[in-house]
Amino acid sequence: MDAGNLFGVFAALIVVLGVIVGGAYLIRRFGGQLATNPGPLRVLSSINVGTRERVVLIQAGDEQLLLGVAPGRVELLKNPTTPIDVPAPAAFAQSLSSALNRGRQ
């Protein structure tokens, strides 16, 4: 194998690894919420409140629950009496575009 072929193989390997790392970053950045779950239990919204702690609003049938989630522990924070309106999530393309535009400013 000559140097030109070896360089091409390494360049292709770097591109493939870059795509994998970039995809993992995007999934982590957007919370892994690229697909919606049509079942009776849905995550409506979530926010990080620490390095490993989150507050999550879930829809369980007709009821909404506000949960605190930490490693090894899930705790009910509040059971709202009136439903909390959550805006529909933006399409992935819009989220990606706004994230890229935010980085340019």
Side-chain angles (χ1 to χ4, degrees):
M1 198 177 237
D2 64 342
N5 287 341
L6 192 59
F7 177 75
V9 169
F10 281 122
L13 179 63
I14 288 173
V15 168
V16 168
L17 289 176
V19 167
I20 292 171
V21 169
Y25 170 77
L26 288 175
I27 289 173
R28 185 170 175 91
R29 171 87 170 127
F30 294 106
Q33 298 174 354
L34 299 179
T36 59
N37 184 7
L41 188 64
R42 297 181 321 159
V43 176
L44 299 178
S45 182
S46 68
I47 186 168
N48 291 335
V49 292
T51 56
R52 299 177 68 184
E53 297 83 18
R54 300 178 76 111
V55 174
V56 180
L57 178 66
I58 65 166
Q59 180 81 35
D62 295 335
E63 191 174 13
Q64 288 185 345
L65 303 170
L66 191 62
L67 304 174
V69 180
R73 184 174 181 172
V74 176
E75 187 172 336
L76 178 65
L77 299 177
K78 186 174 182 179
N79 189 352
T81 56
T82 58
I84 299 171
D85 290 328
V86 179
F92 177 72
Q94 288 177 328
S95 299
L96 181 60
S97 175
S98 66
L100 291 175
N101 289 336
R102 197 175 6 194
R104 291 182 185 158
Q105 294 175 353

